[in-house]
Short mmCIF file of all heavy atoms in Angstrom, two decimals:
data_model
loop_
_atom_site.label_atom_id
_atom_site.label_comp_id
_atom_site.label_asym_id
_atom_site.label_seq_id
_atom_site.Cartn_x
_atom_site.Cartn_y
_atom_site.Cartn_z
N PRO P 1 172.04 156.43 185.13
CA PRO P 1 171.97 157.84 185.51
C PRO P 1 172.62 158.04 186.88
O PRO P 1 172.51 157.17 187.76
CB PRO P 1 170.48 158.14 185.56
CG PRO P 1 169.83 156.82 185.77
CD PRO P 1 170.71 155.80 185.13
N LEU P 2 173.29 159.16 187.05
CA LEU P 2 173.90 159.49 188.34
C LEU P 2 172.80 159.86 189.32
O LEU P 2 171.95 160.68 189.02
CB LEU P 2 174.88 160.65 188.20
CG LEU P 2 175.49 161.11 189.53
CD1 LEU P 2 176.41 160.03 190.10
CD2 LEU P 2 176.25 162.41 189.32
N ASP P 3 172.82 159.22 190.47
CA ASP P 3 171.91 159.59 191.54
C ASP P 3 172.66 160.52 192.49
O ASP P 3 172.49 161.72 192.45
CB ASP P 3 171.39 158.34 192.25
CG ASP P 3 170.36 158.65 193.32
OD1 ASP P 3 169.80 159.76 193.30
OD2 ASP P 3 170.13 157.80 194.19
N ILE P 4 173.53 159.95 193.30
CA ILE P 4 174.32 160.74 194.25
C ILE P 4 175.76 160.27 194.17
O ILE P 4 176.03 159.07 194.06
CB ILE P 4 173.80 160.55 195.69
CG1 ILE P 4 172.37 161.02 195.81
CG2 ILE P 4 174.68 161.29 196.69
CD1 ILE P 4 171.73 160.72 197.17
N PHE P 5 176.69 161.22 194.21
CA PHE P 5 178.11 160.91 194.31
C PHE P 5 178.56 161.27 195.71
O PHE P 5 178.33 162.39 196.17
CB PHE P 5 178.91 161.72 193.27
CG PHE P 5 180.40 161.62 193.48
CD1 PHE P 5 181.09 160.52 193.04
CD2 PHE P 5 181.09 162.63 194.12
CE1 PHE P 5 182.46 160.42 193.24
CE2 PHE P 5 182.46 162.55 194.32
CZ PHE P 5 183.14 161.43 193.87
N TYR P 6 179.17 160.31 196.38
CA TYR P 6 179.73 160.55 197.71
C TYR P 6 181.24 160.54 197.60
O TYR P 6 181.84 159.58 197.11
CB TYR P 6 179.32 159.44 198.69
CG TYR P 6 177.85 159.37 198.97
CD1 TYR P 6 177.07 158.38 198.38
CD2 TYR P 6 177.25 160.28 199.83
CE1 TYR P 6 175.70 158.30 198.65
CE2 TYR P 6 175.89 160.21 200.10
CZ TYR P 6 175.13 159.21 199.51
OH TYR P 6 173.78 159.14 199.78
N GLU P 7 181.89 161.60 198.07
CA GLU P 7 183.34 161.67 198.07
C GLU P 7 183.89 160.67 199.08
O GLU P 7 183.39 160.55 200.20
CB GLU P 7 183.78 163.09 198.43
CG GLU P 7 185.25 163.32 198.27
CD GLU P 7 185.64 164.78 198.42
OE1 GLU P 7 184.90 165.66 197.92
OE2 GLU P 7 186.69 165.03 199.05
N ALA P 8 184.93 159.94 198.67
CA ALA P 8 185.56 158.97 199.56
C ALA P 8 186.34 159.68 200.66
O ALA P 8 186.64 160.89 200.56
CB ALA P 8 186.50 158.06 198.76
N GLU P 9 186.67 158.94 201.67
CA GLU P 9 187.42 159.46 202.79
C GLU P 9 188.74 160.08 202.33
O GLU P 9 189.29 159.70 201.30
CB GLU P 9 187.71 158.34 203.81
CG GLU P 9 186.46 157.77 204.47
CD GLU P 9 185.73 156.71 203.64
OE1 GLU P 9 186.06 156.48 202.45
OE2 GLU P 9 184.80 156.10 204.18
N GLU P 10 189.25 161.01 203.12
CA GLU P 10 190.46 161.77 202.78
C GLU P 10 191.65 160.87 202.42
O GLU P 10 192.39 161.17 201.49
CB GLU P 10 190.83 162.71 203.93
CG GLU P 10 192.01 163.60 203.66
CD GLU P 10 191.84 164.55 202.48
OE1 GLU P 10 190.72 165.04 202.24
OE2 GLU P 10 192.84 164.80 201.78
N TYR P 11 191.83 159.77 203.13
CA TYR P 11 193.02 158.95 202.88
C TYR P 11 192.97 158.25 201.51
O TYR P 11 193.98 157.71 201.06
CB TYR P 11 193.26 157.93 204.00
CG TYR P 11 192.24 156.82 204.14
CD1 TYR P 11 192.44 155.58 203.53
CD2 TYR P 11 191.09 156.99 204.91
CE1 TYR P 11 191.52 154.55 203.67
CE2 TYR P 11 190.16 155.96 205.05
CZ TYR P 11 190.39 154.75 204.43
OH TYR P 11 189.48 153.74 204.57
N HIS P 12 191.83 158.27 200.83
CA HIS P 12 191.74 157.71 199.48
C HIS P 12 192.10 158.75 198.41
O HIS P 12 192.36 158.38 197.27
CB HIS P 12 190.33 157.19 199.20
CG HIS P 12 189.98 155.97 199.98
ND1 HIS P 12 190.65 154.78 199.84
CD2 HIS P 12 189.04 155.78 200.93
CE1 HIS P 12 190.12 153.89 200.67
NE2 HIS P 12 189.15 154.48 201.34
N GLN P 13 192.09 160.02 198.77
CA GLN P 13 192.38 161.08 197.80
C GLN P 13 193.87 161.07 197.46
O GLN P 13 194.72 160.98 198.34
CB GLN P 13 191.97 162.45 198.37
CG GLN P 13 190.55 162.51 198.92
CD GLN P 13 189.47 162.15 197.91
OE1 GLN P 13 189.52 162.56 196.75
NE2 GLN P 13 188.49 161.39 198.35
N ASP P 14 194.18 161.15 196.18
CA ASP P 14 195.58 161.14 195.70
C ASP P 14 196.33 159.93 196.22
O ASP P 14 197.52 160.00 196.54
CB ASP P 14 196.30 162.44 196.10
CG ASP P 14 195.63 163.68 195.55
OD1 ASP P 14 195.31 163.69 194.35
OD2 ASP P 14 195.42 164.63 196.33
N TYR P 15 195.67 158.80 196.28
CA TYR P 15 196.24 157.62 196.92
C TYR P 15 197.56 157.18 196.29
O TYR P 15 198.55 156.98 196.98
CB TYR P 15 195.24 156.45 196.92
CG TYR P 15 195.72 155.34 197.82
CD1 TYR P 15 195.44 155.39 199.18
CD2 TYR P 15 196.48 154.29 197.34
CE1 TYR P 15 195.90 154.39 200.04
CE2 TYR P 15 196.94 153.29 198.19
CZ TYR P 15 196.65 153.35 199.53
OH TYR P 15 197.13 152.39 200.38
N TYR P 16 197.58 157.05 194.99
CA TYR P 16 198.81 156.59 194.33
C TYR P 16 199.94 157.59 194.53
O TYR P 16 201.06 157.20 194.85
CB TYR P 16 198.57 156.35 192.84
CG TYR P 16 199.81 155.90 192.11
CD1 TYR P 16 200.26 154.58 192.23
CD2 TYR P 16 200.53 156.77 191.30
CE1 TYR P 16 201.40 154.16 191.57
CE2 TYR P 16 201.67 156.35 190.64
CZ TYR P 16 202.11 155.05 190.78
OH TYR P 16 203.24 154.65 190.14
N GLN P 17 199.65 158.87 194.35
CA GLN P 17 200.67 159.90 194.52
C GLN P 17 201.27 159.88 195.93
O GLN P 17 202.45 160.14 196.10
CB GLN P 17 200.09 161.28 194.23
CG GLN P 17 199.76 161.50 192.79
CD GLN P 17 199.08 162.84 192.54
OE1 GLN P 17 198.89 163.66 193.44
NE2 GLN P 17 198.70 163.07 191.29
N ASN P 18 200.45 159.56 196.91
CA ASN P 18 200.90 159.56 198.30
C ASN P 18 201.45 158.22 198.77
O ASN P 18 201.99 158.13 199.87
CB ASN P 18 199.74 159.96 199.23
CG ASN P 18 199.30 161.39 198.99
OD1 ASN P 18 200.10 162.25 198.63
ND2 ASN P 18 198.02 161.65 199.19
N ASN P 19 201.31 157.17 197.95
CA ASN P 19 201.69 155.82 198.39
C ASN P 19 202.38 155.01 197.30
O ASN P 19 202.19 153.80 197.21
CB ASN P 19 200.44 155.05 198.86
CG ASN P 19 199.77 155.71 200.03
OD1 ASN P 19 200.19 155.55 201.16
ND2 ASN P 19 198.71 156.46 199.75
N THR P 20 203.20 155.63 196.47
CA THR P 20 203.78 154.93 195.32
C THR P 20 204.61 153.72 195.70
O THR P 20 204.75 152.80 194.90
CB THR P 20 204.63 155.88 194.45
OG1 THR P 20 205.60 156.51 195.28
CG2 THR P 20 203.78 156.91 193.75
N GLU P 21 205.17 153.69 196.90
CA GLU P 21 206.01 152.56 197.31
C GLU P 21 205.21 151.42 197.92
O GLU P 21 205.75 150.34 198.17
CB GLU P 21 207.09 153.04 198.29
CG GLU P 21 208.05 154.05 197.68
CD GLU P 21 208.68 153.56 196.38
OE1 GLU P 21 209.18 152.42 196.34
OE2 GLU P 21 208.68 154.32 195.40
N GLN P 22 203.93 151.63 198.17
CA GLN P 22 203.09 150.60 198.75
C GLN P 22 202.96 149.44 197.75
O GLN P 22 202.96 149.66 196.55
CB GLN P 22 201.71 151.22 199.09
CG GLN P 22 200.84 150.34 199.95
CD GLN P 22 199.56 149.95 199.23
OE1 GLN P 22 199.47 149.95 198.03
NE2 GLN P 22 198.59 149.57 200.02
N GLY P 23 202.85 148.22 198.24
CA GLY P 23 202.83 147.03 197.39
C GLY P 23 201.79 147.07 196.29
O GLY P 23 202.10 146.80 195.12
N TYR P 24 200.53 147.36 196.62
CA TYR P 24 199.46 147.40 195.62
C TYR P 24 199.79 148.41 194.54
O TYR P 24 199.60 148.15 193.34
CB TYR P 24 198.12 147.73 196.29
CG TYR P 24 196.95 147.68 195.35
CD1 TYR P 24 196.26 146.48 195.12
CD2 TYR P 24 196.50 148.81 194.67
CE1 TYR P 24 195.18 146.42 194.26
CE2 TYR P 24 195.42 148.76 193.80
CZ TYR P 24 194.77 147.57 193.61
OH TYR P 24 193.70 147.50 192.74
N CYS P 25 200.29 149.56 194.95
CA CYS P 25 200.63 150.60 193.98
C CYS P 25 201.74 150.13 193.04
O CYS P 25 201.66 150.30 191.83
CB CYS P 25 201.04 151.88 194.70
SG CYS P 25 199.69 152.67 195.60
N ASN P 26 202.78 149.52 193.61
CA ASN P 26 203.91 149.04 192.84
C ASN P 26 203.54 147.96 191.84
O ASN P 26 203.99 147.97 190.70
CB ASN P 26 204.98 148.47 193.78
CG ASN P 26 206.14 149.41 193.96
OD1 ASN P 26 206.49 150.16 193.06
ND2 ASN P 26 206.74 149.38 195.12
N PHE P 27 202.73 147.02 192.28
CA PHE P 27 202.47 145.84 191.46
C PHE P 27 201.22 145.93 190.59
O PHE P 27 201.10 145.20 189.61
CB PHE P 27 202.40 144.58 192.34
CG PHE P 27 203.72 144.29 193.00
CD1 PHE P 27 203.90 144.52 194.35
CD2 PHE P 27 204.78 143.82 192.26
CE1 PHE P 27 205.13 144.27 194.96
CE2 PHE P 27 206.02 143.57 192.86
CZ PHE P 27 206.18 143.80 194.21
N VAL P 28 200.30 146.82 190.93
CA VAL P 28 199.06 146.93 190.16
C VAL P 28 198.96 148.27 189.42
O VAL P 28 198.75 148.30 188.21
CB VAL P 28 197.81 146.72 191.06
CG1 VAL P 28 196.53 146.91 190.26
CG2 VAL P 28 197.84 145.33 191.70
N ILE P 29 199.12 149.36 190.14
CA ILE P 29 198.89 150.68 189.53
C ILE P 29 200.05 151.11 188.63
O ILE P 29 199.82 151.58 187.51
CB ILE P 29 198.60 151.74 190.60
CG1 ILE P 29 197.36 151.33 191.42
CG2 ILE P 29 198.37 153.11 189.94
CD1 ILE P 29 197.04 152.23 192.59
N THR P 30 201.29 150.95 189.07
CA THR P 30 202.43 151.38 188.26
C THR P 30 202.44 150.73 186.87
O THR P 30 202.60 151.44 185.87
CB THR P 30 203.76 151.15 189.02
OG1 THR P 30 203.72 151.94 190.23
CG2 THR P 30 204.95 151.55 188.18
N PRO P 31 202.22 149.41 186.74
CA PRO P 31 202.16 148.82 185.39
C PRO P 31 200.99 149.36 184.56
O PRO P 31 201.13 149.56 183.34
CB PRO P 31 202.00 147.32 185.66
CG PRO P 31 202.50 147.11 187.04
CD PRO P 31 202.20 148.37 187.79
N LYS P 32 199.83 149.61 185.20
CA LYS P 32 198.69 150.18 184.47
C LYS P 32 199.05 151.57 183.94
O LYS P 32 198.70 151.93 182.81
CB LYS P 32 197.46 150.31 185.38
CG LYS P 32 196.64 149.07 185.47
CD LYS P 32 195.35 149.37 186.21
CE LYS P 32 194.42 148.21 186.06
NZ LYS P 32 193.04 148.56 185.99
#
């Protein structure tokens, strides 16, 4: 059951869209 949802810090929002060239994004997220 959901207790509390805490929104992550601003820099995590739209992370892939804002960081597509970053290594983790290129090698992990883009293939997914």
Side-chain angles (χ1 to χ4, degrees):
L2 176 67
D3 184 18
I4 299 173
F5 170 80
Y6 295 104
E7 188 171 320
E9 295 82 351
E10 183 60 35
Y11 68 94
H12 291 297
Q13 309 303 318
D14 300 313
Y15 192 85
Y16 179 77
Q17 291 175 3
N18 295 329
N19 298 280
T20 54
E21 297 307 312
Q22 192 243 23
Y24 184 88
C25 293
N26 257 328
F27 296 107
V28 177
I29 301 175
T30 299
K32 274 189 169 214

